[in-house]
Amino acid sequence: MADASWLPDPSGAHELRYWDGAAWTEHVSDQGTTGQEPLTAPFPPPAPAFAPPPPPAPFGASAAAPAAGAPAGGKVSWKDRLKQVADQGKAMADQGKQKLVEQQSKRTEQWANDPNTLWFGESKSVATSAMGVSKARYRVTRDRVWIESGLLGTKTESVPLWSVKDIDVRQAVWQRDKDIGDVVLTLDDAAYAANPTGMFDLDGMADHGSTHGTTTGQVVLDNIENPYGVVDILTPLISEARNKKTIERQSQYLHVNPGMAAAGAAFGAPAAPPAAPAPAAPQVDLVDQLRRLGELRDAGILTEDEFAAQKAKLLSS
């Protein structure tokens, strides 16, 4: 009979179950996490890890030679133990892979049923495709590109479409035959970039085949199907988002600099009709105005000279 140890669960409900040397117990283990679940039906004992020693020969008979390869003294050899550990590790890896595939399939179904999703896809890299999983998944909505990456963990980031100033397709020779390529998004500011590489990769190392957005100002949707079709979807969305952002910035600038509206009228811009006199508004907090001026300067809407002039004007009023 087998010695007491953790062995594959005979019921199949868990990875491992503890055999105490006489019976299966309620102690179970899944991916290193232990718990308790009694068996609902009897199961036969596990097969011994080695053949039992032969019975002693009758008195006067010559002892038979030990079987070739049989462990001396009835002990399990280190090779047998190593093989048992390797088999258990492979079973755990296969189960983990299956769970990852199920999680990614569920996520894909959620995106497909979300009305805000305009396109979604995944990285078709050779290494992960052979495993039946993907290291990164991409989703496009009306105002953002969402990137979900990771095999050992999951990280979700997004890039606003108004921050994209250029879009291009990069294809290697082997990618063209499969209609696969990289869609490269170049951003106004590297601070807006997502970085789907690093600790969440399969090997825990950075993938040098992908662009590190936080250092180059680029985001790469790598190894996706029909890359030029994705560009056709993104191009009008990016244009619309950037136009809206420009209008928003101009509105903020005119709000802080009301004199610019009169200047625009002097150069031919239609002046707004005079508004009806309104009751005196409470005085705006000076600190809040200075904070807004600083934000406009940091966003690149105001130059340093314009910022200094507006600041001096507020402090002198």
Side-chain angles (χ1 to χ4, degrees), residues 153-221:
T154 301
K155 178 173 63 174
T156 301
E157 298 178 279
S158 66
V159 178
L161 292 180
W162 57 260
S163 68
V164 180
K165 66 179 181 180
D166 192 20
I167 184 171
D168 196 8
V169 173
R170 185 173 61 196
Q171 272 188 317
V173 175
W174 67 268
Q175 290 177 312
R176 293 174 186 168
D177 295 337
K178 301 178 180 180
D179 194 20
I180 291 176
D182 302 340
V183 173
V184 183
L185 308 178
T186 304
L187 309 183
D188 286 327
D189 190 339
Y192 298 124
N195 182 11
T197 61
M199 63 177 287
F200 294 94
D201 286 343
L202 178 63
D203 55 2
M205 302 295 292
D207 182 1
H208 299 291
S210 299
T211 301
H212 288 203
T214 53
T215 57
T216 65
Q218 290 184 335
V219 172
V220 179
L221 313 185

Side-chain angles (χ1 to χ4, degrees), residues 57-208:
F59 179 76
S62 60
K75 294 182 178 180
V76 180
S77 68
W78 65 270
K79 291 183 178 180
D80 292 334
R81 290 190 180 276
L82 186 61
K83 182 179 183 303
Q84 185 181 30
V85 172
D87 291 342
Q88 292 177 356
K90 183 178 182 301
M92 294 176 65
D94 291 341
Q95 187 173 12
K97 172 186 169 183
Q98 182 61 31
K99 288 184 178 180
L100 181 60
V101 171
E102 292 174 358
Q103 290 174 356
Q104 292 189 357
S105 298
K106 184 177 180 181
R107 189 62 166 162
T108 299
E109 183 179 358
Q110 290 175 345
W111 283 358
N113 295 329
D114 188 339
N116 295 318
T117 300
L118 302 181
W119 173 87
F120 66 91
E122 60 185 25
S123 174
K124 298 289 185 179
S125 63
V126 176
T128 54
S129 295
M131 298 170 55
V133 297
S134 60
K135 73 169 185 178
R137 292 153 299 285
Y138 310 108
R139 176 189 181 212
V140 174
T141 60
R142 186 159 293 279
D143 61 346
R144 287 182 177 271
V145 173
W146 297 84
I147 301 172
E148 187 176 89
S149 59
L151 292 175
L152 302 181
T154 301
K155 178 173 63 174
T156 301
E157 298 178 279
S158 66
V159 178
L161 292 180
W162 57 260
S163 68
V164 180
K165 66 179 181 180
D166 192 20
I167 184 171
D168 196 8
V169 173
R170 185 173 61 196
Q171 272 188 317
V173 175
W174 67 268
Q175 290 177 312
R176 293 174 186 168
D177 295 337
K178 301 178 180 180
D179 194 20
I180 291 176
D182 302 340
V183 173
V184 183
L185 308 178
T186 304
L187 309 183
D188 286 327
D189 190 339
Y192 298 124
N195 182 11
T197 61
M199 63 177 287
F200 294 94
D201 286 343
L202 178 63
D203 55 2
M205 302 295 292
D207 182 1
H208 299 291

